[in-house]
Amino acid sequence: LDTETTGISVKEGHRIVEIGCIELDNLIPTKNKFHCYLNPERKVSEKALEVHGYTDDFLASQKKFSDIGEQFLEFIKEATLVGHHVDFDIEMINQGLARLGVGKLKNEFMDTEVMYQKLNYLPQEQHSSLDELCDIYKIRKSDRHTASGDAFLTAQLFLKLKKKLEI
């Protein structure tokens, strides 16, 4: 799972502009994916634009979270969701669900950064980016800073970390 957003603060009203999620079945990526660009109904911050490149003009013609919220919930059902810094993605998704009057996600979550910290006995304060971990585990990076691309990289990283942690 990965999202791209208008900025980094839910408290400041930032919202999702892209969601990407791929399915793993018995630890094998399937062709089953969820992806969409979203009209956040607000401006994209300059910093976010530098990261993902999605302009206000491009996003204005996309569906709104209210158009895809139920479809996304149907896709993830009761699956365990895996992300890198996944708390951020979940907070953004929960904000969108709250605007729909739907409760928070009840899914279990796994964070590849937390898995890496456990594997290397690192303190939780020591953060590693998805780029850094892809370099460490020799995962070829493509489509960085797109939700689908980052979801795919996160899935590959998760599989490598899971194997090392034997969980």
Side-chain angles (χ1 to χ4, degrees), residues 6 10 45 71 88 125:
T6 61
V10 168
S45 72
Q71 184 183 358
F88 174 79
E125 302 81 45

Side-chain angles (χ1 to χ4, degrees), residues 78-146:
E78 296 174 3
T80 298
L81 302 175
V82 178
H84 192 77
H85 298 287
V86 74
D87 289 343
F88 174 79
D89 300 303
I90 299 308
E91 182 179 32
M92 285 291 182
I93 291 168
N94 282 337
Q95 175 224 48
L97 293 173
R99 287 194 321 275
L100 296 179
V102 177
K104 294 181 177 186
L105 292 175
K106 294 178 177 62
N107 302 62
E108 289 186 35
F109 310 102
M110 294 185 77
D111 191 321
T112 52
E113 181 176 40
V114 172
M115 293 170 72
Y116 178 73
Q117 289 167 338
K118 285 181 183 176
L119 184 64
N120 292 285
Y121 306 102
L122 298 174
Q124 288 184 332
E125 302 81 45
Q126 185 171 339
H127 298 287
S128 300
S129 71
L130 184 56
D131 277 329
E132 291 170 322
L133 297 187
C134 285
D135 289 344
I136 289 168
Y137 289 98
K138 298 181 182 7
I139 298 170
R140 192 172 140 247
K141 295 178 279 189
S142 61
D143 295 328
R144 271 299 276 129
H145 301 300
T146 67

Side-chain angles (χ1 to χ4, degrees), residues 20 23 36 38 41 44 48 53-56 66-67 77 79 84 89 95 97 105 113 118 122-123 129 134 140 150 159:
E23 177 184 64
C36 63
L38 296 170
E41 303 178 89
V44 174
Y54 303 138
T55 64
D56 294 325
S66 59
D67 299 324
K77 294 181 179 145
H84 192 77
D89 300 303
Q95 175 224 48
L97 293 173
L105 292 175
E113 181 176 40
K118 285 181 183 176
L122 298 174
S129 71
C134 285
R140 192 172 140 247
D150 287 357
L159 294 172

Side-chain angles (χ1 to χ4, degrees), residues 43-79:
K43 292 205 170 287
V44 174
S45 72
E46 287 184 32
K47 280 194 161 201
L49 181 62
E50 288 173 18
V51 172
H52 54 61
Y54 303 138
T55 64
D56 294 325
D57 287 342
F58 170 72
L59 296 170
S61 64
Q62 305 302 320
K63 293 179 180 179
K64 297 175 183 171
F65 190 89
S66 59
D67 299 324
I68 62 91
E70 292 296 325
Q71 184 183 358
F72 176 71
L73 291 174
E74 179 61 28
F75 179 81
I76 64 170
K77 294 181 179 145
E78 296 174 3

